[in-house]
Amino acid sequence: MNRTAILVDGAFFLARYRKVYGERDANDARAVAKTLFGMALEHLKAVDRPREQLYRIYFYDCPPLEKSFVRPISGDSIDFGRTGAAAFRRELHDQLRRQRKMALRLGRLAERGEWQLKRGAYQQLREGNLRWDDLGDEHFEPDMRQTQVDMKIGIDIAALTYKKLVDQIILVAGDADFIPAAKLARYEGIDFILDPMWQGIAPDLHEHIDGLQSVCPRPF
């Protein structure tokens, strides 16, 4: 029987969620988890497959930061493990574990213990809408990056391909890091579809996928 696996870059999905599901509460972990599962079912409908042909949904993310930092301007201490963002991430991961056909893949956050200027603040400075003397704690964020997530996505694509567990892979992502894994899957006969949730992609990415398909609401 033909089967479809749906792989979701969690950080990308959550960033786009606020844009394409603007009417929904992005801080409601249960609603976000249900939306993700519903989006997966919409993908099956789009390729004319019954839900019984869903092999599994893979969600790739990192646990929240659980450390304390000294704020760069005020010098106050903040425990990121006690923030609303950390509580949401923990609750979301718990809700995803409860979903049928869902596999949660967690990488890790690599942090340098430093702060960096937020992109929005940097843009405001460039445009002259913000002065250096007016910078506050709210204009900075911890210098962190995800590790192991891209590797886990690549390993799962390879495993699904070589073990012939599916004949179709749908990847919800927005960057080009998946290209080597996509090439491997397509070489082995897998139908590889990219869902960038209506975000634009580089023109040359089209040659590395078999289709482009977004099923979420299109933002205006």
Side-chain angles (χ1 to χ4, degrees):
M1 181 175 68
N2 295 333
R3 291 187 291 187
T4 298
I6 300 176
L7 285 60
V8 182
D9 181 334
F12 173 78
F13 171 80
L14 292 174
R16 292 297 295 170
Y17 185 94
R18 296 179 181 275
K19 295 181 181 295
V20 301
Y21 296 106
E23 79 287 356
R24 304 185 187 184
D25 185 357
N27 296 312
D28 185 339
R30 185 175 182 181
V32 173
K34 285 188 174 182
T35 298
L36 174 64
F37 190 80
M39 197 173 85
L41 296 183
E42 287 299 318
H43 267 297
L44 292 179
K45 291 180 183 178
V47 294
D48 198 27
R49 291 192 171 190
R51 62 187 300 169
E52 290 77 18
Q53 290 186 7
L54 172 63
Y55 175 71
R56 194 159 291 142
I57 305 168
Y58 296 83
F59 189 86
Y60 303 86
D61 201 15
C62 288
L65 185 63
E66 301 283 356
K67 292 186 178 182
S68 296
F69 286 85
V70 175
R71 291 186 181 274
I73 303 297
S74 66
D76 295 336
S77 178
I78 177 173
D79 183 351
F80 280 95
R82 294 177 178 269
T83 62
F88 166 78
R89 216 63 162 217
R90 288 190 292 266
E91 176 63 17
L92 175 63
H93 294 167
D94 184 59
Q95 290 293 331
L96 291 174
R97 291 185 181 99
R98 298 168 185 264
Q99 293 278 354
R100 176 165 168 74
K101 293 285 188 178
M102 186 76 68
L104 180 62
R105 297 279 201 263
L106 295 180
R108 59 184 295 270
L109 283 177
E111 46 85 15
R112 303 176 183 178
E114 301 174 354
W115 296 86
Q116 63 181 2
L117 195 63
K118 292 182 178 178
R119 180 176 299 180
Y122 177 74
Q123 187 67 26
Q124 285 181 298
L125 287 169
R126 290 188 60 186
E127 295 173 352
N129 297 322
L130 180 67
R131 298 186 306 168
W132 286 100
D133 292 342
D134 294 331
L135 287 175
D137 292 329
E138 68 276 11
H139 297 116
F140 293 85
E141 61 187 358
D143 186 4
M144 298 180 298
R145 62 183 180 85
Q146 290 186 342
T147 63
Q148 302 179 5
V149 170
D150 291 339
M151 178 184 68
K152 289 177 182 288
I153 293 177
I155 289 175
D156 282 337
I157 290 176
L160 291 167
T161 299
Y162 283 133
K163 293 181 179 180
K164 301 187 184 303
L165 299 174
V166 301
D167 71 308
Q168 183 180 70
I169 292 175
I170 298 173
L171 176 64
V172 180
D175 55 38
D177 293 339
F178 67 87
I179 288 179
K183 285 183 176 181
L184 167 68
R186 296 180 72 219
Y187 182 79
E188 295 295 326
I190 299 294
D191 182 34
F192 198 96
I193 297 174
L194 177 67
D195 176 4
M197 297 180 70
W198 297 111
Q199 178 175 281
I201 65 170
D204 60 343
L205 285 186
H206 288 277
E207 67 178 292
H208 303 296
I209 59 178
D210 292 305
L212 193 67
Q213 175 178 285
S214 292
V215 296
C216 59
R218 187 167 191 168
F220 295 101

